[in-house]
Amino acid sequence: MAASPSALRRAGNEEFRRGQYGPAAELYTRALELLEAAGEAAAEERSLLLSNRAACYLKDGACSLCVADCSTALQLVPFGVKPLLRRAAAYEALERYRLAYVDYKTVLQVDCTIQAAHDGVNRMTKALLEKDGVNWRQKLPPIPTVPVSAQTRWSGPAGGPGANASPVAAPSGEPDQYAADRERARTLKEEGNELVKKGNHKKAVEKYSESLKLNQECATYTNRALCYLTLKQYKEAVQDCTEALRLDPKNVKALYRRAQALKELKDYKSSIADIKSLLKTEPKNTAALRLLQELNRT
C-alpha cells in the first residue's frame, strides 16, 4: 500500500531531525506530488509541506529554492510564521536585507513575542543603515498589515521541522513554559512600576531585573533606566537604554533617558546626537527641546 502524504511528511520530519536534509526534502516532494496528483485542495497541508521542504533547503544553503517554497506556502496560507521566518533568513543570506526586514516585521505583527524576529529586525536595521544611510526606511517595500484572524491562527504549533520553535532561533523550553515566563515577566514589571510610584527605585530595579531574565522587553529596560537615573547610576542607565534601542531603534524614552545619562557623564556630543535622533521622530517634544538648549549651553 502506497504511503499517504501525512505518512511521508512524518517520515520527512524524522529525516530532518536526524540532519538528513536531502532525503527529508525528497520525502516532502513525494508528499506534495501525491497531493497534487490526487487533486486535493488541502491548502494547509501543502503549505506545511512546502514550508518543511524550505527548511531543508535553508539548512543546505539553497536559499533561492527556500524563498520559492516559502512564497508558494504563503500564497496558499497567508501569514504563516514559519515560512515567513524561513524566507526572511534566506533573504538575509542572499543579502536582500529590505525583503528580510519586511518579513521579520510581518512576523512580529503575527506574534510579537518571537525573539528570532526581533533579532532579525535589529540585524537588518543595522545592515540597512550601513547600506542605505539614515533614510533607509524610505527605500523599503510596503510591510503588509496582518489581519487579526491571522494573529490567532498561528498561535499553536504545526507539525514539522522545528515545531514549537522558529527555524532561526528558538525560545528555550516548551511553548507553555515560554508563555508562563512571559506572564511572570509582565507581573514583575508591574510590581516594579508600583514600587517606582512609591519612590522605591532600588527595589524596583530588582523587580525589573528579574523580569528581564524571563523576557527582554523594551519598556522594562527604559523603566529600569529611569530608576538608574534617579539612583545616579548613569553608566547602567546608558546600558539599559542601549538595550532598549537595540529592540526598538526609535524608542523616544530610551533616547531621552540615554541623553540624560550621557549629559551627567559629560559625554555632551553623544547626548546631543540622541536628542537630535529623538527630535526627528517627535520634533515638538518639549522635554527634549529643553534638554537640547541646556546641552548647547554647556
Side-chain angles (χ1 to χ4, degrees):
M1 186 176 151
S4 67
S6 57
L8 287 166
R9 172 164 61 79
R10 285 194 297 273
N13 293 352
E14 194 52 48
E15 291 292 331
F16 187 95
R17 276 191 283 272
R18 289 173 49 226
Q20 301 299 309
Y21 306 122
E26 286 173 22
L27 287 160
Y28 296 141
T29 301
R30 280 174 58 198
L32 283 161
E33 285 168 355
L34 280 178
L35 285 173
E36 284 164 23
E40 290 179 35
E44 294 233 6
E45 178 71 7
R46 285 174 62 205
S47 180
L48 182 58
L49 283 161
L50 285 160
S51 177
N52 288 2
R53 189 171 68 179
C56 299
Y57 291 147
L58 187 61
K59 286 283 189 181
D60 279 340
C63 295
S64 296
L65 291 173
C66 175
V67 167
D69 268 5
C70 290
S71 298
T72 308
L74 290 162
Q75 283 168 9
L76 289 165
V77 182
F79 306 114
V81 164
K82 285 181 185 173
L84 278 168
L85 277 171
R86 287 166 187 164
R87 188 170 70 177
Y91 278 143
E92 187 174 347
L94 293 165
E95 297 187 359
R96 297 172 74 181
Y97 299 135
R98 292 174 199 161
L99 292 169
Y101 179 88
V102 168
D103 277 353
Y104 284 131
K105 288 291 275 189
T106 306
V107 169
L108 290 175
Q109 285 187 71
V110 180
D111 185 348
C112 66
T113 68
I114 294 176
Q115 191 59 43
H118 282 292
D119 293 342
V121 166
N122 293 332
R123 286 195 307 275
M124 294 309 93
T125 299
K126 189 179 175 189
L128 287 165
L129 190 59
E130 287 174 10
K131 184 170 177 267
D132 295 334
V134 289
N135 296 323
W136 63 272
R137 286 178 192 274
Q138 294 172 14
K139 299 178 182 180
L140 287 175
I143 298 168
T145 302
V146 177
V148 175
S149 58
Q151 292 172 29
T152 52
R153 182 197 304 149
W154 293 104
S155 59
N164 308 340
S166 89
V168 193
S172 59
E174 293 303 307
D176 289 348
Q177 183 59 48
Y178 189 49
D181 284 350
R182 283 205 318 276
E183 189 55 44
R184 177 72 183 137
R186 194 178 299 118
T187 302
L188 286 162
K189 183 180 78 172
E190 286 166 6
E191 288 173 9
N193 294 348
E194 288 304 312
L195 287 162
V196 168
K197 287 174 192 171
K198 293 173 184 172
N200 194 341
H201 294 92
K202 206 167 185 180
K203 211 66 176 142
V205 164
E206 291 174 18
K207 293 290 183 184
Y208 292 140
S209 298
E210 285 180 57
S211 177
L212 286 164
K213 283 176 190 171
L214 296 168
N215 187 35
Q216 292 192 352
E217 190 181 283
C218 187
T220 314
Y221 277 118
T222 56
N223 289 2
R224 191 170 68 174
L226 177 64
C227 294
Y228 282 140
L229 279 168
T230 307
L231 297 165
K232 295 183 166 45
Q233 292 177 245
Y234 301 120
K235 285 182 181 176
E236 288 85 350
V238 168
Q239 284 171 356
D240 270 7
C241 291
T242 301
E243 283 300 312
L245 290 162
R246 184 177 62 79
L247 295 169
D248 179 7
K250 287 191 171 183
N251 188 277
V252 168
K253 284 182 182 175
L255 286 165
Y256 182 70
R257 288 169 187 170
R258 189 167 70 176
Q260 287 179 299
L262 288 165
K263 176 176 175 271
E264 296 300 330
L265 292 167
K266 297 187 167 42
D267 185 350
Y268 302 124
K269 188 179 175 184
S270 298
S271 182
I272 288 168
D274 274 351
I275 289 297
K276 286 183 175 175
S277 294
L278 187 164
L279 291 169
K280 283 177 188 171
T281 305
E282 289 188 10
K284 294 179 181 176
N285 186 307
T286 50
L289 289 166
R290 193 161 53 244
L291 183 56
L292 185 60
Q293 282 180 337
E294 288 174 24
L295 286 160
N296 285 330
R297 284 200 295 269
T298 54

